[in-house]
């Protein structure tokens, strides 16, 4: 069962690697302001996140089974990886530690890439808002009013100072 857990951690790491590659593609698409590509990447991300959720559920099930099998009361689905490593048999400790470290590193890389992409997305939306404001001579807020309608304010000249 410990080997199954190690393999499962490897599978989760592979999915995070897919997310990291998608984040790099999204970064390029955001810089190029290619929103169609961003939407395609977002759909791929949703699929990958769904797979990670499925694998995480499997990991929790495996930890529950391991807790029942070991019957020491310390292993539970909520156990942190350091405690799990401490309780693991000597023959799997090194593999478990390496798998856990790889997963942690990949999760942190995805978190960093996502943060950068969020900043790019916000900047792109601000640029779009600016363009809309210039084209329509109105002020378009990035919030929505009652019923989901976008807030806009007209800024037309009410006084002609050249008269």
């Amino acid at each position: 069962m410990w080997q199954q857990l190690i393999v499962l951690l490897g599978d989760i790491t592979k999915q995070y690697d897919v997310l990291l590659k998608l984040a790099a593609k999204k970064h390029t698409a955001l810089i190029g302001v290619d929103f169609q590509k961003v939407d395609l990447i977002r759909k791929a991300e949703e699929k990958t996140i769904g797979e990670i959720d499925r694998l995480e559920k499997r990991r929790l099930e495996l930890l529950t089974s391991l807790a029942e099998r070991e019957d020491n009361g310390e292993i539970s689905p909520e156990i942190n990886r350091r405690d799990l490593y401490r309780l693991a048999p000597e023959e799997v400790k090194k593999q478990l530690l390496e798998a856990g470290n790889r997963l942690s590193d990949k999760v942190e890389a995805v978190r960093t890439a996502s943060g950068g992409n969020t900043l790019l997305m916000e900047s792109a939306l601000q640029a779009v808002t600016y363009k809309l404001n210039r084209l329509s001579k109105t002020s378009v807020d990035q919030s929505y009013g009652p019923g989901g309608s976008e807030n806009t304010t007209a800024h037309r000249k009410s006084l002609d100072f050249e008269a």
Side-chain angles (χ1 to χ4, degrees):
M1 211 166 260
W2 288 97
Q3 284 298 330
Q4 289 176 335
L5 181 61
I6 292 167
V7 169
L8 187 60
L9 290 175
D11 291 343
I12 295 170
T13 302
K14 288 176 188 174
Q15 292 303 313
Y16 274 99
D17 192 44
V18 170
L19 271 182
L20 188 58
K21 289 175 183 172
L22 288 170
K25 288 180 181 180
K26 184 187 265 184
H27 184 84
T28 302
L30 286 169
I31 288 174
V33 194
D34 186 349
F35 291 115
Q36 288 177 335
K37 192 171 185 178
V38 169
D39 192 47
L40 290 174
I41 294 167
R42 183 193 51 79
K43 289 175 184 174
E45 285 175 330
E46 286 176 358
K47 182 180 174 187
T48 304
I49 290 168
E51 181 64 15
I52 290 171
D53 286 344
R54 186 188 68 77
L55 291 169
E56 279 296 323
K57 287 176 186 169
R58 175 70 183 121
R59 184 185 64 82
L60 293 175
E61 291 169 0
L62 195 56
L63 285 172
T64 301
S65 297
L66 196 57
E68 292 169 0
R69 182 173 162 222
E70 295 291 320
D71 197 32
N72 66 4
E74 290 187 71
I75 298 176
S76 71
E78 295 83 25
I79 192 170
N80 68 44
R81 67 184 185 98
R82 302 245 186 268
D83 289 339
L84 186 63
Y85 169 74
R86 182 179 51 81
L87 297 169
E90 287 300 320
E91 61 269 11
V92 298
K93 277 188 178 190
K94 183 178 177 186
Q95 290 176 307
L96 187 63
L97 181 64
E98 289 172 355
N101 286 340
R102 279 192 302 273
L103 178 58
S104 291
D105 292 345
K106 199 61 71 171
V107 168
E108 186 57 36
V110 168
R111 185 176 293 127
T112 300
S114 294
N117 284 343
T118 298
L119 182 63
L120 280 174
M121 182 67 81
E122 289 170 354
S123 297
L125 288 174
Q126 287 174 350
V128 167
T129 300
Y130 173 76
K131 287 284 192 186
L132 287 173
N133 288 345
R134 290 205 51 195
L135 291 171
S136 65
K137 295 184 175 134
T138 61
S139 176
V140 179
D141 297 331
Q142 292 184 353
S143 62
Y144 289 87
S149 60
E150 194 167 15
N151 290 331
T152 59
T153 308
H155 292 289
R156 292 186 177 85
K157 285 185 180 181
S158 52
L159 299 173
D160 186 4
F161 291 104
E162 293 180 19

